[in-house]
Amino acid sequence: AQTVTQSQPEMSVQEAETVTLSCTYDTSESDYYLFWYKQPPSRQMILVIRQEAYKQQNATENRFSVNFQKAAKSFSLKISDSQLGDAAMYFCAYVPMDSNYQLIWGAGTKLIIKP
Amino acid sequence: NAGVMQNPRHLVRRRGQEARLRCSPMKGHSHVYWYRQLPEEGLKFMVYLQKENIIDESGMPKERFSAEFPKEGPSILRIQQVVRGDSAAYFCASSPSLTGRREGYTFGSGTRLTVV
């Protein structure tokens, strides 16, 4: 079965510092997509960053970057220069490239930003 | 582009009543997906629809739950005879095609259903 695991229920970081959120997944597929979504108190699910498994280069979006380790099935999110607006639940999600479209989600990590 | 619109944002129903949740996809999107989020959990897939067709409802409970996406109008997720366990946030996502899984689906803000 395909699963996504986020082992950190909660993380806190000082404003302007860097924080890394971990995500591991289990799959027998070789081609798939991985995503990080942010869910602020407004409940809107916002796409932060995505990674295609066949690309070795780690994805980057401004202050957000990932460390994608395909062999280890690890997909961590690094947030640099943390801002108060980054406070939210962060979810890691997976979807295989072929035949399926159902996103498989982790349980989420609550990120707290300390001013 | 107004994005994916869901309403109502909050819905309170007594046990045994019916709940109707609406989702208007982004303009130009013909694929709609419904997910359910229980407290302290990630989202769980419920159903995938295209206009006038249910493509995959494997994640939806067999009883009391139904979904439709008519030719005109929003997609509707309907829950009959609600029970306390149906209390959750229900999210709708849309995509222009199956490429959504590559680009990352666009989600609405969800409907929080509370059954009292």
Side-chain angles (χ1 to χ4, degrees), chain A residues 33 35 37 39 41-45 47 50 52 54 91 95-103 105-107, chain B residues 9-10 35 37 40-43 45 48 56 58 89 91 98 101-105 107-112:
Chain A
Y33 304 106
F35 307 97
Y37 279 88
Q39 186 180 39
S42 67
R43 208 170 61 219
Q44 175 81 46
M45 200 64 80
L47 178 64
R50 63 184 178 87
E52 290 137 331
Y54 58 86
F91 291 93
V95 66
M97 187 177 293
D98 293 323
S99 77
N100 204 341
Y101 38 74
Q102 299 178 19
L103 283 164
W105 297 76
Chain B
R9 187 154 174 74
H10 301 278
Y35 285 80
Q37 183 181 31
E40 310 299 323
E41 293 186 16
L43 279 64
F45 170 81
Y48 162 40
D56 181 356
S58 61
F91 286 88
L98 281 179
R101 61 186 169 204
R102 182 184 67 207
E103 302 298 331
Y105 302 92
F107 282 85
S109 295
T111 294
R112 181 172 297 283

Side-chain angles (χ1 to χ4, degrees), chain A residues 2-8 22-25 34-37 39 45 89-94 103-109, chain B residues 36-38 40-44:
Chain A
Q2 296 156 345
T3 58
V4 175
T5 302
Q6 293 179 249
S7 59
Q8 306 152 317
S22 66
C23 171
T24 58
Y25 57 94
L34 294 161
F35 307 97
W36 278 98
Y37 279 88
Q39 186 180 39
M45 200 64 80
M89 285 292 293
Y90 285 80
F91 291 93
C92 178
Y94 155 96
L103 283 164
I104 310 298
W105 297 76
T109 296
Chain B
R36 176 164 63 176
Q37 183 181 31
L38 295 172
E40 310 299 323
E41 293 186 16
L43 279 64
K44 295 287 193 299

Side-chain angles (χ1 to χ4, degrees), chain B residues 24-58:
Chain B
S24 296
M26 285 184 68
K27 188 176 181 180
H29 286 194
S30 58
H31 297 237
V32 166
Y33 314 82
W34 285 92
Y35 285 80
R36 176 164 63 176
Q37 183 181 31
L38 295 172
E40 310 299 323
E41 293 186 16
L43 279 64
K44 295 287 193 299
F45 170 81
M46 297 183 74
V47 62
Y48 162 40
L49 309 103
Q50 296 179 22
K51 286 281 187 181
E52 300 184 279
N53 281 304
I54 298 174
I55 307 302
D56 181 356
E57 55 183 350
S58 61

Side-chain angles (χ1 to χ4, degrees), chain B residues 46-89:
Chain B
M46 297 183 74
V47 62
Y48 162 40
L49 309 103
Q50 296 179 22
K51 286 281 187 181
E52 300 184 279
N53 281 304
I54 298 174
I55 307 302
D56 181 356
E57 55 183 350
S58 61
M60 204 150 68
K62 294 286 187 291
E63 298 179 355
R64 302 188 298 107
F65 285 72
S66 63
E68 63 176 6
F69 188 17
K71 186 177 180 181
E72 301 291 336
S75 174
I76 305 289
L77 180 66
R78 182 181 176 202
I79 310 172
Q80 295 178 293
Q81 299 174 329
V82 296
V83 301
R84 287 248 172 89
D86 297 332
S87 295

